Amino acid sequence: MNAVWLMLMGFVAFAFGWFIYSRLYSSKVLELDDNFVTPAHEYRDDVDFVPANKFVLWGHHFTAVAGAAPIVGPAIAVQWGWLPAFLWVVIGTIAFAGIHDMSALWASVKNEGKSIGTICTRFVGNKVGQLFMVVIFLVLLMVNGAFGVIIAKESVEHTTTIIPAWGAVAVALVMGQAIYRFKMKLVPVTVVAVIALYALVPLGVAFPVSLPESVFGLGQNAQWVVLLYIYAGIASVLPVWALLQPRDYVNGIQLFVGLILLYASIVIVHPNVSAPGIIPAITDNPGGWHMIIPVLFITVACGAISGFHGIVSSGTTSKQVDKMKDVRFVGYLGSMGEGSLALATIIACVAGVSLVNADLNIETWGDLYKGGVASFVSGGGALIYEGLGIPQEASATLLSLMVILFAATTMDAGIRLQRYIIQEWGDIYNIRFLRGKGVATIVAVATSFAISINGVSDGQVAIWPLFGATNQLLASLTLMVTAVILLKSKKFGGSLVVLVPMTFILVMSFWGALIKLGDYFQAENYLLTTLNAIVIVVTLLVVLSALKVISKILSDKKASA
């Protein structure tokens, strides 16, 4: 089968989602109205609450939610063949992720830019909302911990990315000053910033940077983890306009260019999909992935649906929405961008990798998941080289840079969001010292750092399944909260658009969490066993409480009828 057909089928489906499905949902159910005063204007402080151009905000939201997950997840999932991963990415983007992200963003903008946990407190119950925030905090902890390890490994393995990756921080800082302090126009600033970013790529190839083998007993991976968290802590307390917004925006442009290169190469090379459509489930791999169902649906989270998106939507993005109708553009189109990245990853893995290794077959293809990000970088690099003639090393650097920059922007947002939750806990429980930005940031950095530094030796594989299950459980809980809001607003028909995907992903992710609980216990990994057990118990309590509220709403409706 020609890979171009996969690309075309995906694009046609995404077009249906954007032009028809999202338009109907946003107009008929959410009823987006630009006369509504958004929190960015009502509570403007030019630190967290800042009205943003919808294209800039889309860039921030897209890159904050993308990270490395829509690359890692699909690259792992192709061990079962291209068909399951392809179907889940396409259907998940249209009917799950887009609705989830847009709904969470809408709910937060309508509720003073509050987090989804606080919104749960308002509409479901105070105690339930506090439990919800525990799940959110754990997801952020796993995201930051896993991505810290991913960035460190990429930095060690691809030393040519160091100069452009860290140079992107300087580019973003200058860009923020140019737009917000000196009021320069967005388009020319964008052009200069993108040129500067790509000018750093050949410089990185010419001058690779590596850290010493050991410093104070810390290896190279551990050293990068330390540097990353120092940076993330500083970045999380800066005003969003100074670094977060411009960094995410220019990274969004960089991703857009990267996707153009990848998809243009697919059209030019039109490689064959050498992977089988479906491969029987593997029973002896070290990741513990024994079943396509339900494990597929927690392996591919970002790129299909992800609870982390709801945290970002209701955490940083909702505080920057200029006009209410921007919610559809930023929320739904942001999820489509991530779906496009996941689709490109699948094609790179099942068609591009065969350009590097022509001996792959059904017996050996299942081991492809071990490559993870490496499969995407090598397969995508081969496609770009064959299609556009860009040298293999430069192509691989570009794709590895994409991974590092997205994971880093997710860490920036993730640490900031952890800080928000810690400060909220300070307010809820009247713990004065946690209310301060400095202490809350230190706590956020320290807890995430502990997860990352413990994963440096064996990578992020151990925590990835737990992250996937917890992340998807959070997505189902976010959909459940938005369903309650819609039901309380008498939008009974529209709530089905949310309740159907909520039910499906809740069953799949809860099933997956139970499987992993047994796996971790048998492996005597008691830290992850404990975290998994906490997630399961808290999720049960939140679901039961929300179902009680939904039942009461429906009973009242029946009684009034």
Side-chain angles (χ1 to χ4, degrees):
M1 178 181 179
N2 195 303
V4 174
W5 286 111
L6 279 184
M7 181 188 76
L8 291 176
M9 287 187 290
F11 284 177
V12 169
F14 290 159
F16 166 79
W18 171 246
F19 290 109
I20 299 176
Y21 197 60
S22 70
R23 188 185 298 276
L24 288 173
Y25 181 69
S26 63
S27 62
K28 302 298 183 182
V29 180
L30 300 185
E31 297 178 345
L32 304 180
D33 182 6
D34 280 348
N35 292 321
F36 181 84
V37 179
T38 65
H41 290 283
E42 187 173 357
Y43 304 106
R44 181 167 186 167
D45 60 6
D46 288 329
V47 177
D48 294 318
F49 292 87
V50 182
N53 177 285
K54 68 179 182 180
F55 294 99
V56 175
L57 185 55
W58 174 83
H60 154 68
H61 180 78
F62 177 25
T63 52
V65 300
I71 296 173
V72 177
I76 294 174
V78 294
Q79 64 172 297
W80 296 302
W82 62 264
L83 184 59
F86 173 78
L87 290 177
W88 176 227
V89 163
V90 172
I91 297 172
T93 296
I94 297 169
F96 288 73
I99 298 301
H100 170 276
D101 294 14
M102 186 163 48
S103 298
L105 183 55
W106 166 79
S108 183
V109 172
K110 294 285 285 187
N111 288 274
E112 303 165 356
K114 297 296 184 181
S115 70
I116 195 66
T118 301
I119 295 170
C120 180
T121 299
R122 289 184 177 181
F123 288 90
V124 182
N126 185 52
K127 291 183 179 179
V128 179
Q130 293 175 26
L131 290 172
F132 196 111
M133 289 174 68
V134 172
V135 180
I136 293 174
F137 186 83
L138 289 175
V139 168
L140 289 170
L141 188 64
M142 295 174 201
V143 167
N144 293 329
F147 283 7
V149 177
I150 291 173
I151 298 172
K153 290 180 68 176
E154 284 296 299
S155 298
V156 171
E157 294 174 6
H158 298 276
T159 56
T160 56
T161 63
I162 303 305
I163 288 179
W166 289 92
V169 177
V171 170
L173 287 169
V174 173
M175 189 177 183
Q177 295 293 321
I179 294 174
Y180 287 97
R181 190 177 295 276
F182 297 106
K183 308 299 181 183
M184 294 183 180
K185 293 183 178 180
L186 179 62
V187 173
V189 172
T190 300
V191 172
V192 173
V194 171
I195 291 174
L197 181 62
Y198 281 104
L200 293 170
V201 173
L203 192 63
V205 173
F207 301 99
V209 177
S210 59
L211 296 178
E213 289 294 328
S214 179
V215 175
F216 300 117
L218 298 176
Q220 289 182 326
N221 283 281
Q223 292 172 48
W224 278 119
V225 168
V226 172
L227 292 175
L228 283 167
Y229 278 104
I230 292 174
Y231 159 76
I234 296 172
S236 69
V237 297
L238 291 175
V240 291
W241 62 266
L243 178 60
L244 188 68
Q245 264 190 15
R247 176 176 164 84
D248 290 358
Y249 172 68
V250 75
N251 285 349
I253 299 295
Q254 191 259 348
L255 171 60
F256 190 66
V257 172
L259 286 176
I260 289 175
L261 294 177
L262 269 176
Y263 282 119
S265 299
I266 292 169
V267 172
I268 295 171
V269 179
H270 51 272
N272 288 322
V273 177
S274 50
I278 298 178
I279 300 175
I282 301 167
T283 58
D284 59 350
N285 71 71
W289 304 109
H290 307 318
M291 307 164 67
I292 295 179
I293 297 175
V295 180
L296 170 68
F297 303 102
I298 62 174
T299 305
V300 183
C302 300
I305 182 173
S306 167
F308 179 70
H309 295 198
I311 306 176
V312 176
S313 295
S314 65
T316 57
T317 306
S318 63
K319 297 175 177 62
Q320 302 171 62
V321 173
D322 183 28
K323 298 178 180 179
M324 198 62 176
K325 288 186 178 179
D326 292 350
V327 165
R328 174 174 172 254
F329 184 89
V330 175
Y332 199 92
L333 203 58
S335 68
M336 285 187 60
E338 188 164 77
S340 299
L341 176 57
L343 178 61
T345 299
I346 292 171
I347 295 175
C349 288
V350 303
V353 169
S354 61
L355 298 175
V356 180
N357 186 349
D359 297 328
L360 292 172
N361 53 52
I362 192 168
E363 285 77 23
T364 60
W365 198 275
D367 289 334
L368 181 63
Y369 80 97
K370 295 177 182 177
V373 173
S375 298
F376 168 73
V377 171
S378 62
L383 279 171
I384 294 174
Y385 171 68
E386 292 288 338
L388 302 175
I390 299 176
Q392 186 99 15
E393 187 176 15
S395 300
T397 297
L398 279 172
L399 297 181
S400 182
L401 180 63
M402 282 173 57
V403 175
I404 291 175
L405 291 181
F406 295 152
T409 53
T410 299
M411 281 186 66
D412 290 359
I415 294 293
R416 184 182 291 263
L417 292 166
Q418 271 189 287
R419 189 246 297 172
Y420 290 164
I421 291 177
I422 293 167
Q423 287 180 292
E424 284 190 46
W425 280 339
D427 291 331
I428 293 171
Y429 300 109
N430 197 28
I431 305 174
R432 183 172 299 178
F433 73 91
L434 288 181
R435 297 175 185 172
K437 184 183 295 186
V439 173
T441 300
I442 291 172
V443 173
V445 169
T447 52
S448 299
F449 174 78
I451 296 293
S452 286
I453 206 69
N454 286 329
V456 164
S457 59
D458 59 358
Q460 75 279 5
V461 174
I463 200 172
W464 191 264
L466 178 56
F467 158 67
T470 307
N471 191 39
Q472 300 301 67
L473 284 170
L474 177 58
S476 65
L477 296 181
T478 300
L479 287 170
M480 184 174 287
V481 172
T482 56
V484 170
I485 297 173
L486 291 172
L487 288 169
K488 285 190 173 183
S489 303
K490 310 298 182 183
K491 298 176 181 179
F492 298 102
S495 64
L496 290 176
V497 180
V498 176
L499 286 171
V500 171
M502 179 214 78
T503 303
F504 178 83
I505 201 64
L506 177 62
V507 171
M508 291 297 140
S509 55
F510 198 81
W511 185 1
L514 290 174
I515 291 173
K516 292 315 301 175
L517 183 65
D519 289 346
Y520 289 137
F521 184 77
Q522 289 180 2
E524 298 182 353
N525 191 331
Y526 299 120
L527 172 61
L528 297 187
T529 300
T530 302
L531 287 175
N532 200 349
I534 292 172
V535 169
I536 289 172
V537 171
V538 171
T539 300
L540 270 176
L541 293 173
V542 174
V543 168
L544 291 174
S545 299
L547 289 177
K548 183 178 179 181
V549 172
I550 291 174
S551 178
K552 185 178 185 304
I553 294 171
L554 295 178
S555 297
D556 292 343
K557 175 180 180 289
K558 184 177 180 181
S560 63

PDB file of all heavy atoms in Angstrom, residues 289-303:
ATOM      1  N   TRP A 289       3.202  -4.728  27.169  1.00  0.00           N
ATOM      2  CA  TRP A 289       2.028  -4.459  26.329  1.00  0.00           C
ATOM      3  C   TRP A 289       1.503  -5.783  25.767  1.00  0.00           C
ATOM      4  O   TRP A 289       1.952  -6.239  24.728  1.00  0.00           O
ATOM      5  CB  TRP A 289       2.400  -3.515  25.199  1.00  0.00           C
ATOM      6  CG  TRP A 289       2.993  -2.236  25.671  1.00  0.00           C
ATOM      7  CD1 TRP A 289       4.283  -1.837  25.562  1.00  0.00           C
ATOM      8  CD2 TRP A 289       2.318  -1.191  26.352  1.00  0.00           C
ATOM      9  NE1 TRP A 289       4.456  -0.605  26.126  1.00  0.00           N
ATOM     10  CE2 TRP A 289       3.268  -0.183  26.617  1.00  0.00           C
ATOM     11  CE3 TRP A 289       0.998  -0.998  26.774  1.00  0.00           C
ATOM     12  CZ2 TRP A 289       2.958   0.992  27.270  1.00  0.00           C
ATOM     13  CZ3 TRP A 289       0.684   0.175  27.432  1.00  0.00           C
ATOM     14  CH2 TRP A 289       1.653   1.151  27.676  1.00  0.00           C
ATOM     15  N   HIS A 290       0.549  -6.390  26.451  1.00  0.00           N
ATOM     16  CA  HIS A 290       0.095  -7.711  26.062  1.00  0.00           C
ATOM     17  C   HIS A 290      -1.154  -7.687  25.181  1.00  0.00           C
ATOM     18  O   HIS A 290      -1.438  -8.665  24.504  1.00  0.00           O
ATOM     19  CB  HIS A 290      -0.209  -8.547  27.312  1.00  0.00           C
ATOM     20  CG  HIS A 290       0.914  -8.590  28.285  1.00  0.00           C
ATOM     21  ND1 HIS A 290       2.223  -8.750  27.896  1.00  0.00           N
ATOM     22  CD2 HIS A 290       0.934  -8.491  29.634  1.00  0.00           C
ATOM     23  CE1 HIS A 290       3.006  -8.751  28.967  1.00  0.00           C
ATOM     24  NE2 HIS A 290       2.250  -8.591  30.035  1.00  0.00           N
ATOM     25  N   MET A 291      -1.940  -6.626  25.224  1.00  0.00           N
ATOM     26  CA  MET A 291      -3.230  -6.626  24.559  1.00  0.00           C
ATOM     27  C   MET A 291      -3.406  -5.353  23.738  1.00  0.00           C
ATOM     28  O   MET A 291      -3.110  -4.263  24.210  1.00  0.00           O
ATOM     29  CB  MET A 291      -4.346  -6.711  25.607  1.00  0.00           C
ATOM     30  CG  MET A 291      -4.192  -7.871  26.593  1.00  0.00           C
ATOM     31  SD  MET A 291      -5.241  -7.637  28.041  1.00  0.00           S
ATOM     32  CE  MET A 291      -6.857  -7.783  27.266  1.00  0.00           C
ATOM     33  N   ILE A 292      -3.900  -5.540  22.498  1.00  0.00           N
ATOM     34  CA  ILE A 292      -4.188  -4.350  21.691  1.00  0.00           C
ATOM     35  C   ILE A 292      -5.307  -3.545  22.335  1.00  0.00           C
ATOM     36  O   ILE A 292      -5.251  -2.322  22.418  1.00  0.00           O
ATOM     37  CB  ILE A 292      -4.580  -4.761  20.255  1.00  0.00           C
ATOM     38  CG1 ILE A 292      -3.401  -5.426  19.557  1.00  0.00           C
ATOM     39  CG2 ILE A 292      -5.055  -3.551  19.458  1.00  0.00           C
ATOM     40  CD1 ILE A 292      -3.700  -5.891  18.145  1.00  0.00           C
ATOM     41  N   ILE A 293      -6.334  -4.247  22.809  1.00  0.00           N
ATOM     42  CA  ILE A 293      -7.424  -3.595  23.537  1.00  0.00           C
ATOM     43  C   ILE A 293      -7.326  -4.038  24.982  1.00  0.00           C
ATOM     44  O   ILE A 293      -7.329  -5.238  25.259  1.00  0.00           O
ATOM     45  CB  ILE A 293      -8.803  -3.999  22.956  1.00  0.00           C
ATOM     46  CG1 ILE A 293      -8.910  -3.527  21.496  1.00  0.00           C
ATOM     47  CG2 ILE A 293      -9.937  -3.427  23.781  1.00  0.00           C
ATOM     48  CD1 ILE A 293     -10.178  -3.980  20.803  1.00  0.00           C
ATOM     49  N   PRO A 294      -7.194  -3.126  25.936  1.00  0.00           N
ATOM     50  CA  PRO A 294      -7.355  -1.671  25.832  1.00  0.00           C
ATOM     51  C   PRO A 294      -6.056  -0.888  25.679  1.00  0.00           C
ATOM     52  O   PRO A 294      -6.069   0.336  25.656  1.00  0.00           O
ATOM     53  CB  PRO A 294      -7.966  -1.335  27.195  1.00  0.00           C
ATOM     54  CG  PRO A 294      -7.234  -2.277  28.126  1.00  0.00           C
ATOM     55  CD  PRO A 294      -7.063  -3.560  27.348  1.00  0.00           C
ATOM     56  N   VAL A 295      -4.919  -1.596  25.589  1.00  0.00           N
ATOM     57  CA  VAL A 295      -3.635  -0.915  25.734  1.00  0.00           C
ATOM     58  C   VAL A 295      -3.369   0.095  24.619  1.00  0.00           C
ATOM     59  O   VAL A 295      -2.718   1.124  24.842  1.00  0.00           O
ATOM     60  CB  VAL A 295      -2.499  -1.945  25.834  1.00  0.00           C
ATOM     61  CG1 VAL A 295      -1.150  -1.263  25.987  1.00  0.00           C
ATOM     62  CG2 VAL A 295      -2.734  -2.879  27.011  1.00  0.00           C
ATOM     63  N   LEU A 296      -3.889  -0.157  23.408  1.00  0.00           N
ATOM     64  CA  LEU A 296      -3.715   0.809  22.324  1.00  0.00           C
ATOM     65  C   LEU A 296      -4.193   2.189  22.733  1.00  0.00           C
ATOM     66  O   LEU A 296      -3.560   3.205  22.413  1.00  0.00           O
ATOM     67  CB  LEU A 296      -4.497   0.340  21.091  1.00  0.00           C
ATOM     68  CG  LEU A 296      -4.611   1.357  19.944  1.00  0.00           C
ATOM     69  CD1 LEU A 296      -3.263   1.592  19.293  1.00  0.00           C
ATOM     70  CD2 LEU A 296      -5.640   0.894  18.915  1.00  0.00           C
ATOM     71  N   PHE A 297      -5.311   2.256  23.465  1.00  0.00           N
ATOM     72  CA  PHE A 297      -5.960   3.529  23.768  1.00  0.00           C
ATOM     73  C   PHE A 297      -5.293   4.288  24.906  1.00  0.00           C
ATOM     74  O   PHE A 297      -5.649   5.431  25.165  1.00  0.00           O
ATOM     75  CB  PHE A 297      -7.441   3.282  24.069  1.00  0.00           C
ATOM     76  CG  PHE A 297      -8.157   2.602  22.947  1.00  0.00           C
ATOM     77  CD1 PHE A 297      -8.450   1.252  23.005  1.00  0.00           C
ATOM     78  CD2 PHE A 297      -8.493   3.300  21.798  1.00  0.00           C
ATOM     79  CE1 PHE A 297      -9.087   0.609  21.949  1.00  0.00           C
ATOM     80  CE2 PHE A 297      -9.122   2.668  20.736  1.00  0.00           C
ATOM     81  CZ  PHE A 297      -9.418   1.322  20.817  1.00  0.00           C
ATOM     82  N   ILE A 298      -4.336   3.645  25.584  1.00  0.00           N
ATOM     83  CA  ILE A 298      -3.544   4.393  26.560  1.00  0.00           C
ATOM     84  C   ILE A 298      -2.101   4.554  26.080  1.00  0.00           C
ATOM     85  O   ILE A 298      -1.331   5.316  26.655  1.00  0.00           O
ATOM     86  CB  ILE A 298      -3.574   3.736  27.960  1.00  0.00           C
ATOM     87  CG1 ILE A 298      -2.972   2.339  27.941  1.00  0.00           C
ATOM     88  CG2 ILE A 298      -4.978   3.715  28.506  1.00  0.00           C
ATOM     89  CD1 ILE A 298      -2.845   1.696  29.307  1.00  0.00           C
ATOM     90  N   THR A 299      -1.737   3.820  25.017  1.00  0.00           N
ATOM     91  CA  THR A 299      -0.422   4.007  24.409  1.00  0.00           C
ATOM     92  C   THR A 299      -0.414   5.283  23.578  1.00  0.00           C
ATOM     93  O   THR A 299       0.472   6.122  23.701  1.00  0.00           O
ATOM     94  CB  THR A 299      -0.060   2.809  23.511  1.00  0.00           C
ATOM     95  OG1 THR A 299      -0.163   1.612  24.264  1.00  0.00           O
ATOM     96  CG2 THR A 299       1.343   2.949  22.966  1.00  0.00           C
ATOM     97  N   VAL A 300      -1.422   5.411  22.699  1.00  0.00           N
ATOM     98  CA  VAL A 300      -1.571   6.631  21.901  1.00  0.00           C
ATOM     99  C   VAL A 300      -2.564   7.529  22.635  1.00  0.00           C
ATOM    100  O   VAL A 300      -3.773   7.372  22.516  1.00  0.00           O
ATOM    101  CB  VAL A 300      -2.082   6.325  20.478  1.00  0.00           C
ATOM    102  CG1 VAL A 300      -2.163   7.610  19.662  1.00  0.00           C
ATOM    103  CG2 VAL A 300      -1.179   5.309  19.800  1.00  0.00           C
ATOM    104  N   ALA A 301      -2.031   8.432  23.412  1.00  0.00           N
ATOM    105  CA  ALA A 301      -2.873   9.387  24.148  1.00  0.00           C
ATOM    106  C   ALA A 301      -2.862  10.696  23.364  1.00  0.00           C
ATOM    107  O   ALA A 301      -3.778  10.977  22.597  1.00  0.00           O
ATOM    108  CB  ALA A 301      -2.342   9.566  25.569  1.00  0.00           C
ATOM    109  N   CYS A 302      -1.814  11.494  23.538  1.00  0.00           N
ATOM    110  CA  CYS A 302      -1.666  12.699  22.730  1.00  0.00           C
ATOM    111  C   CYS A 302      -1.616  12.282  21.255  1.00  0.00           C
ATOM    112  O   CYS A 302      -0.890  11.365  20.901  1.00  0.00           O
ATOM    113  CB  CYS A 302      -0.390  13.429  23.104  1.00  0.00           C
ATOM    114  SG  CYS A 302      -0.315  13.936  24.830  1.00  0.00           S
ATOM    115  N   GLY A 303      -2.403  12.945  20.436  1.00  0.00           N
ATOM    116  CA  GLY A 303      -2.542  12.540  19.048  1.00  0.00           C
ATOM    117  C   GLY A 303      -3.877  11.895  18.803  1.00  0.00           C
ATOM    118  O   GLY A 303      -4.301  11.742  17.658  1.00  0.00           O
TER     119      GLY A 303
END
